[in-house]
Amino acid sequence: MLTKVIKIDNDNIDDRLLTEAAEILCAGGLVAFPTETVYGLGANGLDEEAARKIYAAKGRPSDNPLILHISSAEEIVPLVQSVPEAARKLMDAFWPGPLTMIFPKSSIVPYGTTGGLDTVAVRMPSDPVANRLIALAGLPIAAPSANRSGRPSPTTAEHVMQDMDGRIEMILDGGPVGIGVESTIVDVTGDVPILLRPGAVTMEMLQETVGHVDIDPAITGPMAADVRPKAPGMKYRHYAPKAELVLVEERKNKAGGGTRRMGQGRYAAELTVPEPVSEPISEAVIGRINRLVQEKLSQGYRVGVICTDETENQYPAGIVRSLGIRGQQETIAHSLFAVLREFDDLQVDYIYSESFARDHLGQAIMNRLTKAAGYHVIYTNEKKEEEQHGRQ
Ligand code: TXA
Ligand code: MG
């Protein structure tokens, strides 16, 4: 299949170009399009056959449900059984925007879209290209991130091209996305909203809007083999770079800072009290990363380092990439997946990364990083022998 790439001028969106894309969607085809979070791979969300094509193009297990994207809030009505009070508040506060909510599904939503679940994920993106495309198609658009399964989510049309060329009908190129990590997911089917995936609508913002919010344990640590995560996607080793990624962190960031209990009952989680986001990374972390890099280089491996602008010139060896200024979480989030992809392209064997505070957008950054690392974290005051543990 020939994949057509169409450039869209975000400041002057040409409806004729988007109409061609909308027609593909209405005819059951696949179109990748920009959203404010990451690029999505869209198909008619009410057509099981179209959903099947998404799974095939991504190489994704079909028990992993898709998010339905809508262009105005009222479009949710036929898709769900009800819109609870908390969901209404969250919609008012954050739609259009990077927030997905889980509702009991209506009968028109096929199980082929929801991975067999009785619930459906719905989001209204703010990106003007996404919004206009969905409106022109006149359908809820099922769209996972437009990467091949296991690859980092795409934040540019070029990333989509790398993964999807020849597999889908069209890519709308609206330039780099704004946020760079996927939407926040909140389950609103129960009495208390549950955060299933952290994103740019942060825990702090959710709590400010609806009060108490629980946290799914899949966010903070590896899942036990017998536990079914509420967001089935969280069980896969997502965002996985081809290299072995290891995070290096100061112990005080884990325990020394003190832990705080968040959530209640089944979903309670111990969370680290974060250090201020702008706190400089310690000499101990830099020294440990440099020693690890040297060790792997001397064994003949290709090694990458993920750091920030403040520390970039303190890593003399390996392929060093900065995510931006440490105190600017938006910048860090925005470059994270692009840097992981670049290391894939450079075929590095090992990547050592600085870690980040876990408050605000840092919760999403650290969630994606620790998952990409398979939860392999080295603490600076641990002995070397212990470093081999922890990789799941
Ligand atoms: O920012 C985003 O959300 C992007 C853009 C394209 O909108 N989309 C995205 O989709 O990240 P995807 O498919 O890569 O991730 C969707 C996540 C998966 O972890 C999936 O398991 C979860 O949402 N999910 C979808 N429907 C669900 C449901 N009914 N219940 C629980 N989790 C659900
Ligand atoms: Mg994804």
Side-chain angles (χ1 to χ4, degrees):
M1 180 188 308
L2 191 74
T3 301
K4 199 164 168 180
V5 182
I6 296 194
K7 218 159 173 73
I8 307 290
D9 178 357
N10 288 304
D11 298 324
N12 186 14
I13 294 173
D14 183 346
D15 260 6
R16 279 169 310 181
L17 297 176
L18 292 194
T19 299
E20 191 185 341
E23 280 166 2
I24 294 172
L25 292 171
C26 292
L30 303 184
V31 175
F33 60 95
T35 82
E36 67 277 24
T37 56
V38 299
Y39 271 74
L41 177 56
N44 177 356
L46 301 181
D47 174 359
E48 245 167 356
E49 181 57 22
R52 201 194 50 73
K53 288 187 198 165
I54 288 182
Y55 292 116
K58 276 182 70 82
R60 172 173 177 156
S62 59
D63 67 342
N64 195 352
L66 305 172
I67 297 173
L68 292 186
H69 294 65
I70 57 179
S71 66
S72 74
E74 313 84 74
E75 290 166 24
I76 193 173
V77 174
L79 305 177
V80 303
Q81 283 178 27
S82 63
V83 178
E85 173 71 17
R88 183 64 63 189
K89 285 188 190 159
L90 292 170
M91 284 164 67
D92 289 346
F94 302 114
W95 277 9
L99 174 67
T100 297
M101 283 182 278
I102 311 288
F103 299 87
K105 80 171 191 71
S106 73
S107 58
I108 69 163
V109 179
Y111 283 109
T113 301
T114 68
L117 297 176
D118 289 317
T119 53
V120 61
V122 185
R123 138 165 152 83
M124 177 181 170
S126 62
D127 181 281
V129 176
N131 188 277
R132 191 69 193 135
L133 174 67
I134 299 161
L136 286 171
L139 291 165
I141 300 300
S145 49
N147 52 285
R148 295 268 300 157
S149 200
R151 294 266 283 153
S153 293
T155 56
T156 65
E158 289 73 34
H159 295 164
V160 180
M161 210 39 199
Q162 286 173 3
D163 284 16
M164 293 295 161
D165 190 20
R167 298 175 160 270
I168 62 178
E169 278 84 355
M170 183 179 279
I171 299 172
L172 297 178
D173 179 356
V177 300
I179 294 171
V181 290
E182 306 86 347
S183 62
T184 304
I185 303 181
V186 178
D187 182 342
V188 291
T189 59
D191 293 340
V192 176
I194 307 167
L195 178 68
L196 304 188
R197 181 174 74 181
V201 172
T202 64
M203 187 65 178
E204 290 86 345
M205 291 157 74
L206 295 170
Q207 285 170 327
E208 202 170 292
T209 310
V210 290
H212 187 75
V213 177
D214 278 337
I215 296 184
D216 189 82
I219 289 173
T220 43
M223 299 297 296
D226 56 342
V227 177
R228 224 180 120 81
K230 293 201 63 132
M234 298 295 271
K235 75 174 174 240
Y236 299 106
R237 191 182 159 210
H238 258 181
Y239 329 112
K242 289 172 189 158
E244 180 168 332
L245 170 64
V246 181
L247 274 152
V248 181
E249 186 165 0
E250 276 200 274
R251 173 57 83 183
K252 76 170 166 62
N253 202 12
K254 195 183 181 211
T259 54
R260 152 181 79 162
R261 240 172 133 69
M262 291 194 74
Q264 290 172 345
R266 201 147 74 85
Y267 295 107
E270 293 283 355
L271 277 201
T272 308
V273 175
E275 54 192 55
V277 288
S278 53
E279 181 170 305
I281 205 86
S282 77
E283 291 298 322
V285 169
I286 296 167
R288 176 57 71 94
I289 291 179
N290 276 322
R291 283 197 298 283
L292 290 161
V293 169
Q294 278 307 337
E295 183 185 312
K296 293 299 177 198
L297 284 175
S298 70
Q299 291 165 10
Y301 292 111
R302 289 170 79 86
V303 188
V305 174
I306 297 179
C307 62
T308 60
D309 286 3
E310 293 85 346
T311 53
E312 197 175 2
N313 58 13
Q314 296 185 59
Y315 296 103
I319 304 169
V320 182
R321 291 291 177 269
S322 168
L323 296 178
I325 297 168
R326 176 163 285 276
Q328 292 178 2
Q329 291 181 317
E330 286 74 17
T331 318
I332 305 289
H334 191 257
S335 29
L336 179 61
F337 288 146
V339 166
L340 291 179
R341 271 182 181 263
E342 191 188 349
F343 278 132
D344 271 2
D345 299 341
L346 292 167
Q347 297 185 314
V348 300
D349 303 297
Y350 290 89
I351 306 169
Y352 297 100
S353 175
E354 294 178 358
S355 59
F356 296 87
R358 289 169 166 81
D359 59 349
H360 302 284
L361 190 52
Q363 190 181 21
I365 294 167
M366 285 301 283
N367 170 258
R368 305 310 192 272
L369 259 178
T370 52
K371 283 188 65 165
Y375 302 97
H376 189 181
V377 182
I378 291 177
Y379 293 98
T380 47
N381 57 350
E382 274 172 358
K383 285 198 201 70
K384 201 145 178 302
E385 304 81 79
E386 291 168 14
E387 287 172 8
Q388 305 316 319
H389 297 299
R391 189 168 168 83
Q392 312 287 321

